[in-house]
Amino acid sequence: KAGVTQTPRYLIKTRGQQVTLSCSPISGHRSVSWYQQTPGQGLQFLFEYFSETQRNKGNFPGRFSGRQFSNSRSEMNVSTLELGDSALYLCASTLTVNTDTQYFGPGTRLTVL
Amino acid sequence: AQKVTQAQTEISVVEKEDVTLDCVYETRDTTYYLFWYKQPPSGELVFLIRRNSFDEQNEISGRYSWNFQKSTSSFNFTITASQVVDSAVYFCALSELKRGSTLGRLYFGRGTQLTVWP
């Protein structure tokens, strides 16, 4: 069974631009979570989606948003990029509620110049 | 509030040595899960083990073993006879289990960089 896939793997943007990252969960998994990893702050939770609904949100500004589609694929969007948004963005999928482990994708490395 | 502390930032060992990675957690919840993940240079977080708060039985899986002690809020991870391929960053994580919700939010420690030299 294929793992979590994330596209693109690498991205370079400039300040003020916006970016959309995509995540396809493991087949059959219905929940997707997003994390940001930076050297300074470590791994931080962004948000979680289940059945196209955001169920949980971390402490990030409104510039960070996401959505989930009916096929469980998810996208996250960052508007008005800042230098500090440079990070590895990791997506994780989980089978269903109250069970299972989060399985992570390879991440998207975003660099903001 | 939930918090995970991995006091060891970096550990270097020579191949075949045993190494223990420490993890201490804080939570007010009585029901929670603890995890260990491995992050090789490629960046992907690889799941290693999950333990729930009601299961203090320690586990051994090949060269890996885990020691969960609720009394000291610790969930330590030991690699026996380390190998060069074990070199990676290891993360300990905590999640809550709320009725009706997924395990949707992991609280990670800062990670321990393990380097195994040949």
Side-chain angles (χ1 to χ4, degrees):
Chain A
K1 184 182 283 190
V4 178
T5 58
Q6 293 186 245
T7 57
R9 292 293 311 279
Y10 301 91
L11 206 50
I12 300 176
K13 293 286 188 179
T14 57
R15 280 182 301 174
Q17 288 187 307
Q18 75 166 19
V19 66
T20 299
L21 312 181
S22 180
C23 171
S24 292
I26 293 171
S27 178
H29 283 197
R30 298 172 61 192
S31 176
V32 172
S33 297
W34 289 88
Y35 294 83
Q36 180 197 65
Q37 185 177 23
T38 60
Q41 299 299 317
L43 278 155
Q44 294 186 290
F45 172 77
L46 280 157
F47 24 66
E48 177 210 2
Y49 287 88
F50 179 78
S51 291
E52 303 178 62
T53 302
Q54 186 181 93
R55 297 177 63 92
N56 206 350
K57 189 177 190 303
N59 187 25
F60 278 82
R63 300 186 296 107
F64 291 82
S65 63
R67 59 178 176 170
Q68 186 181 33
F69 302 94
S70 59
N71 61 358
S72 295
R73 190 177 69 85
S74 176
E75 289 181 347
M76 68 162 282
N77 183 278
V78 187
S79 62
T80 319
L81 284 166
E82 300 177 0
L83 296 179
D85 297 333
S86 295
L88 179 66
Y89 290 88
L90 291 161
C91 166
S93 77
T94 307
L95 183 61
T96 186
V97 294
N98 278 355
T99 61
D100 274 351
T101 296
Q102 293 188 35
Y103 294 93
F104 285 81
T108 294
R109 173 77 62 184
L110 172 65
T111 301
V112 182
L113 302 176
Chain B
Q2 288 72 15
K3 184 179 179 182
V4 177
T5 301
Q6 293 180 255
Q8 305 151 310
T9 305
E10 297 182 23
I11 298 177
S12 289
V13 298
V14 177
E15 213 170 15
K16 297 184 183 177
E17 285 186 19
D18 298 347
V19 57
T20 295
L21 309 181
D22 298 332
C23 173
V24 175
Y25 63 92
E26 296 176 30
T27 179
R28 294 179 183 175
D29 297 322
T30 57
T31 305
Y32 51 88
Y33 280 81
L34 295 165
F35 301 80
W36 276 96
Y37 285 88
K38 171 183 178 180
Q39 187 176 42
S42 60
E44 181 175 350
L45 281 171
V46 178
F47 165 71
L48 296 176
I49 191 171
R50 177 180 79 160
R51 267 285 174 267
N52 71 53
S53 51
F54 298 110
D55 181 5
E56 287 192 72
Q57 184 177 356
N58 295 319
E59 179 169 335
I60 298 174
S61 175
R63 295 186 299 109
Y64 297 166
S65 62
W66 291 270
N67 185 347
F68 176 28
Q69 292 190 351
K70 286 181 71 173
S71 61
T72 56
S73 297
S74 65
F75 185 44
N76 297 336
F77 170 39
T78 297
I79 302 175
T80 302
S82 59
Q83 301 175 0
V84 173
V85 293
D86 295 328
S87 296
V89 181
Y90 290 83
F91 290 95
C92 181
L94 166 74
S95 75
E96 307 159 301
L97 178 59
K98 288 186 169 55
R99 193 176 301 279
S101 75
T102 68
L103 302 179
R105 179 171 189 162
L106 290 173
Y107 297 85
F108 285 91
R110 295 306 300 267
T112 298
Q113 170 70 61
L114 173 65
T115 303
V116 182
W117 297 99

